Amino acid sequence: METTSHHGFGAFNGTGGGHMRHRRMMMHMSFYWGHKAEVLFSDWPGTSSVMYPLALVFVFVLAVLVEWLSHCNIIKPGTNNLAAGLMQTAMYTVRSGLDYMVMLAVMSFNGGVFLAAVGGRAVGFLLFGSRAFRKTGGSASGSDQGPSDLPPMKC
């Protein structure tokens, strides 16, 4: 026998006796503002007004890391092609995983999380992708830096 809780989730403990109640937060389908959220992990940050800023910082840092990986040059010229290919693949995998985590955090529909993700991408691009902090040489392109190790991200 299966019962449905007031949230629409079925619950049965499998022993034939009592029923378990699932504690779930409401799933939002439009942007909302407030610190009562669930971002990436069950019950995190939850209803804690102290953990919410930590969640925002976490999402911000993830977004900055995605931008860093998108624009970094850590593979030295002349590196063995197989080693360079394996390193590129590892970096691409990490970048993809972090980017999906940022996307899933934004899917919480919390306005603060959205702003942290967009702000992190903007700060990351400013630091690692824009001309603002590039060392310029005498080259015609205005930059000594070659293309990044990874291809650009596709939307």
Side-chain angles (χ1 to χ4, degrees):
M1 178 172 156
E2 186 170 324
T3 62
T4 303
S5 70
H6 65 283
H7 293 290
F9 296 103
F12 181 69
N13 69 4
T15 62
H19 300 281
M20 294 188 319
R21 290 186 57 142
H22 289 283
R23 190 177 64 127
R24 306 284 267 154
M25 293 187 76
M26 188 174 117
M27 195 71 184
H28 290 272
M29 291 295 153
S30 60
F31 277 107
Y32 68 98
W33 298 94
H35 71 276
K36 295 179 181 176
E38 191 169 285
V39 180
L40 294 175
F41 308 104
S42 295
D43 298 325
W44 188 73
T47 58
S48 170
S49 59
V50 174
M51 292 300 289
Y52 181 69
L54 181 63
L56 296 181
V57 169
F58 182 73
V59 171
F60 183 87
V61 169
L62 284 179
V64 170
L65 286 173
V66 169
E67 286 298 322
W68 176 72
L69 282 170
S70 296
H71 299 284
C72 71
N73 288 318
I74 61 175
I75 300 173
K76 304 285 186 237
T79 302
N80 175 293
N81 283 345
L82 178 60
L86 291 173
M87 183 66 171
Q88 277 183 304
T89 301
M91 290 170 56
Y92 180 82
T93 302
V94 170
R95 180 183 74 176
S96 295
L98 294 176
D99 200 36
Y100 280 124
M101 285 184 71
V102 171
M103 178 189 65
L104 288 171
V106 169
M107 288 175 61
S108 72
F109 287 101
N110 182 276
V113 171
F114 174 76
L115 292 177
V118 172
R121 295 295 293 260
V123 168
F125 182 81
L126 175 69
L127 295 174
F128 308 115
S130 75
R131 295 180 181 187
F133 298 106
R134 277 195 198 147
K135 293 179 178 85
T136 58
S139 66
S141 67
S143 174
D144 293 343
Q145 197 173 5
S148 68
D149 290 332
L150 295 178
M153 296 183 68
K154 296 185 177 19
C155 296

